[in-house]
Amino acid sequence: MEQPMGLFSMFTRRRRDDEPVDLDERSPSLGVRYRDLLLMNEIAKRAADLSQPRHVVFYLDAPSEDIGRLIAAEAGTHGFEAGVREPLPEYPGSWTVVCEIHTVLTPEFVRDSVDLFEALAERHHADYDGWEAAV
């Protein structure tokens, strides 16, 4: 006899291999968004040794220079060297905050840093624009 579908079974079903993955979802085992895992994978393909420290940069777009400086100052309290760049002519009113660090690129570092910068962006009405790392 077939069991009726339970209340939580629709939330616990396994994804089929042919179902698309939402890149903003997090890996259940690492807590890292799939889009960040893809970037880490690309870096791993090109880099000889991911256990070595490398230059990592996070970007945010602030609505003013003052807000950009607030974000940069807070990023500094987390070990990042941060600065604010003037808007590009095609994006007036969008001040780029560049936050840099030299570190080992681990899933935990990526997860915690992305969470930090997304929270800073939300709190200051800015936009988190992503990250990159040297290979």
Side-chain angles (χ1 to χ4, degrees):
M1 184 167 144
E2 197 172 311
Q3 293 289 329
M5 183 182 258
L7 177 63
F8 296 105
S9 62
M10 70 177 104
F11 299 109
T12 58
R13 71 177 178 82
R14 295 189 59 113
R15 171 176 276 122
R16 293 188 342 237
D17 286 342
D18 62 342
E19 279 187 77
V21 173
D22 179 351
L23 294 179
D24 287 323
E25 284 185 24
R26 292 179 184 257
S27 158
S29 58
L30 299 172
V32 180
R33 287 196 174 89
Y34 290 116
R35 76 175 59 258
D36 295 318
L37 287 174
L38 285 171
L39 181 54
M40 290 180 71
N41 186 52
E42 284 302 311
I43 293 165
K45 283 182 190 177
R46 294 184 168 113
D49 185 359
L50 278 185
S51 69
Q52 295 301 307
R54 67 192 64 249
H55 185 225
V56 184
V57 186
F58 290 84
Y59 300 95
L60 297 93
D61 296 314
S64 72
E65 182 177 13
D66 289 341
I67 291 175
R69 292 194 186 287
L70 285 172
I71 293 170
E74 191 164 342
T77 67
H78 293 274
F80 290 86
E81 290 186 34
V84 181
R85 295 182 184 162
E86 289 193 24
L88 297 171
E90 57 270 21
Y91 300 106
S94 182
W95 298 77
T96 301
V97 183
V98 180
C99 305
E100 303 175 77
I101 196 166
H102 199 79
T103 191
V104 175
L105 194 61
T106 65
E108 297 79 17
F109 167 78
V110 171
R111 179 195 62 226
D112 294 346
S113 297
V114 168
D115 288 350
L116 166 70
F117 291 115
E118 286 180 340
L120 283 172
E122 185 175 333
R123 188 165 55 254
H124 294 288
H125 305 288
D127 293 314
Y128 168 68
D129 196 29
W131 64 276
E132 64 184 14
V135 290

